[in-house]
């Protein structure tokens, strides 16, 4: 055989072989991807998506009967799969993984509101699913994927140039929404609520035990996302105000831990002079820690919360500890900013 032809044939064989490289997790994600490009956290029968399960005929049938209404960014869904598929593509060069990831990115772009916010679900708009949702870091996870796509970070440099440009616009719209939704207290920016009305961008309630309130865990995630961005006067002001709020509203002298009692998980708030924590939620006007219950009631005394909700939801945490101690000072130094 002619040497040039032989070399060319080997090249084709190499390309074909590399295209067939499989990643087990990525292959499952291809199967679970919904027609609109997103992924669900649950299937049609409300069973949780679990990539550890082998896909037999019965499970495959359930997956394929699950429609677009289940597509969501809640509980890391969609953002998790896009990131995993991009990583799988970087190691296998299997074009199917990149194609599925790009379809997922297109879904995120499609679901974004013109005001820059992201609903929890799309196209399902029932109940609180259409609200702009920071809860469980949903919107920030989506924006992080788009930021990676826009900037070509974390293996996302393989994304098409068209999606990169669209992602850049989406990220800027998202930052605009973040800055608009930072809650003002007597004109002073504080932190962020969990959910917002999708049109008015006013804080809103979601589940019965998630009342209108300031949300600490999600606000830490928002600050971290803002610190990834080029510094503008608006972003600097937003971050510094939120940091100040966290400093002023920490709870000193208490720890919050999960223990086992009679085989059940019990959450215990206890005195601990060496510990600093924050409540999960704070009153949007007074900054008092507050707690929701199944009946929709709001409590300001942790011990008045029903036993089921007291132990079934995490009400305190060291949410901002690392942010205040390490990340914020490092951000100031990096950007040559003063307090």
């Amino acid at each position: 055989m002619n040497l040039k032809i032989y070399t060319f044939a080997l090249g084709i064989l190499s390309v074909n072989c590399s295209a067939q490289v499989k990643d087990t997790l990525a292959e499952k994600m291809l199967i679970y991807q919904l027609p609109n490009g997103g992924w669900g956290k649950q299937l049609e029968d409300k069973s949780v998506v679990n990539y550890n399960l082998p896909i037999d005929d019965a499970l495959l049938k359930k997956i394929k009967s699950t429609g677009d209404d289940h597509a969501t960014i809640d509980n890391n869904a969609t953002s998790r799969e896009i990131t995993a598929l991009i990583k799988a593509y970087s190691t296998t060069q299997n074009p199917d993984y990149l194609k599925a990831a790009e379809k997922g990115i297109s879904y995120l772009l499609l679901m974004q509101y013109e005001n820059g916010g992201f609903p929890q679900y799309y196209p399902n708009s029932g109940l609180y699913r259409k609200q702009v949702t920071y809860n469980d870091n949903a919107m920030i996870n989506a924006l992080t994927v788009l930021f990676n796509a826009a900037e070509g970070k974390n293996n996302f440099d393989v994304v098409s140039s068209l999606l990169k440009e669209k992602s850049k616009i989406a990220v800027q719209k998202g930052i605009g929404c973040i800055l608009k939704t930072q809650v003002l207290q007597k004109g002073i920016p504080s932190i962020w609520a969990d959910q917002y009305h999708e049109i008015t961008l006013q804080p809103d309630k979601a589940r019965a035990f998630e009342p209108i309130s300031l949300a600490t865990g999600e606000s830490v995630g928002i600050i971290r996302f803002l610190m990834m961005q080029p510094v503008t006067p608006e972003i600097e002001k937003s971050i510094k105000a939120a940091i100040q709020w966290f400093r002023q509203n920490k709870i000193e002298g208490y720890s919050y831990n999960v223990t086992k009692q009679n085989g059940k998980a019990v959450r215990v708030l206890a005195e601990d002079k060496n510990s600093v924590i924050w409540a999960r939620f704070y009153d949007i006007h007074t900054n008092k820690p507050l707690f929701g219950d199944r009946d929709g009631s709001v409590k300001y005394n942790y011990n008045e919360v029903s036993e089921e909700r007291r132990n079934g939801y995490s009400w305190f945490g060291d949410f901002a500890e690392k942010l205040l101690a390490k990340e914020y000072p490092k951000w100031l130094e990096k950007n040559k900013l003063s307090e």
Side-chain angles (χ1 to χ4, degrees):
M1 182 184 290
N2 181 285
L3 182 60
K4 288 184 178 180
I5 296 174
Y6 179 73
T7 304
F8 179 71
L10 278 179
I12 293 176
L13 181 62
S14 174
V15 169
N16 286 339
C17 286
S18 67
Q20 298 303 313
V21 174
K22 304 287 186 180
D23 178 290
T24 305
L25 175 60
E27 288 296 314
K28 287 182 179 180
M29 288 179 172
L30 296 184
I31 294 171
Y32 275 93
Q33 189 170 27
L34 297 167
N36 65 3
W39 280 265
K41 64 175 185 177
Q42 293 180 330
L43 300 178
E44 192 69 41
D45 66 348
K46 297 187 178 180
S47 59
V48 176
V49 170
N50 182 355
Y51 291 112
N52 292 321
L53 296 177
I55 300 178
D56 56 20
D57 289 343
L59 179 54
L60 182 61
K61 187 176 180 179
K62 286 199 291 184
I63 294 170
K64 294 307 176 184
S65 68
T66 302
D68 283 344
D69 265 5
H70 287 268
T72 182
I73 55 172
D74 191 32
N75 288 12
N76 299 317
T78 301
S79 301
R80 166 188 57 192
E81 283 84 359
I82 294 170
T83 302
L85 285 165
I86 288 290
K87 183 179 180 181
Y89 177 74
S90 73
T91 57
T92 67
Q93 298 299 301
N94 190 321
D96 291 342
Y97 303 157
L98 177 57
K99 183 179 177 181
E102 290 186 329
K103 189 175 181 181
I105 292 169
S106 294
Y107 168 75
L108 294 181
L109 294 169
L110 179 65
M111 79 185 304
Q112 187 180 29
Y113 291 129
E114 190 56 38
N115 61 24
F118 285 77
Q120 189 183 59
Y121 281 72
Y122 180 84
N124 187 338
S125 61
L127 301 173
Y128 49 81
R129 294 185 176 96
K130 61 185 176 181
Q131 292 175 354
V132 171
T133 304
Y134 294 120
N135 195 21
D136 292 333
N137 301 312
M139 177 167 155
I140 294 304
N141 286 342
L143 280 174
T144 300
V145 167
L146 295 175
F147 175 72
N148 284 333
E151 301 300 322
K153 294 179 179 291
N154 299 312
N155 299 314
F156 277 76
D157 54 304
V158 296
V159 170
S160 74
S161 57
L162 178 61
L163 283 180
K164 285 179 182 176
E165 289 307 310
K166 289 184 175 180
S167 295
K168 284 181 182 178
I169 295 169
V171 168
Q172 291 309 307
K173 287 166 62 177
I175 292 170
C177 182
I178 289 171
L179 297 177
K180 281 184 287 188
T181 52
Q182 190 168 11
V183 176
L184 297 178
Q185 295 178 328
K186 297 180 180 178
I188 299 173
S190 60
I191 58 172
W192 289 264
D194 254 346
Q195 295 88 209
Y196 291 78
H197 189 277
E198 67 280 3
I199 297 173
T200 67
L201 290 183
Q202 292 302 303
D204 214 338
K205 62 184 180 65
R207 290 177 290 186
F209 52 89
E210 293 170 336
I212 292 176
S213 57
L214 299 176
T216 48
E218 284 73 11
S219 292
V220 168
I222 292 169
I223 295 167
R224 284 175 174 152
F225 178 76
L226 289 177
M227 290 197 303
M228 292 163 57
Q229 309 306 316
V231 178
T232 65
E234 294 80 11
I235 287 176
E236 181 182 355
K237 178 183 176 182
S238 174
I239 291 172
K240 287 183 174 179
I243 291 293
Q244 184 65 12
W245 186 94
F246 273 108
R247 286 172 172 164
Q248 292 174 345
N249 291 281
K250 61 186 177 182
I251 301 170
E252 297 179 290
Y254 284 88
S255 63
Y256 184 65
N257 300 294
V258 179
T259 63
K260 288 282 187 179
Q261 293 182 14
N262 299 322
K264 292 183 178 181
V266 176
R267 298 180 190 270
V268 179
L269 179 66
E271 290 188 16
D272 182 347
K273 64 180 181 179
N274 298 315
S275 180
V276 174
I277 57 175
W278 287 264
R280 173 78 174 79
F281 298 129
Y282 284 77
D283 187 284
I284 209 160
H285 303 294
T286 67
N287 291 330
K288 290 181 180 179
L290 62 77
F291 314 93
D293 223 326
R294 286 286 188 191
D295 61 0
S297 62
V298 175
K299 309 284 198 315
Y300 290 90
N301 184 335
Y302 174 65
N303 294 315
E304 292 178 1
V305 180
S306 67
E307 183 180 354
E308 183 273 332
R309 275 300 79 191
R310 200 163 61 245
N311 293 320
Y313 199 73
S314 185
W315 294 106
F316 298 90
D318 58 358
F319 305 114
E321 183 179 39
K322 186 178 177 183
L323 175 68
L324 296 183
K326 296 181 180 180
E327 296 167 352
Y328 177 62
K330 186 177 179 180
W331 175 78
L332 289 174
E333 183 180 359
K334 177 185 174 183
N335 292 285
K336 297 180 173 59
L337 299 171
S338 58
E339 277 281 0

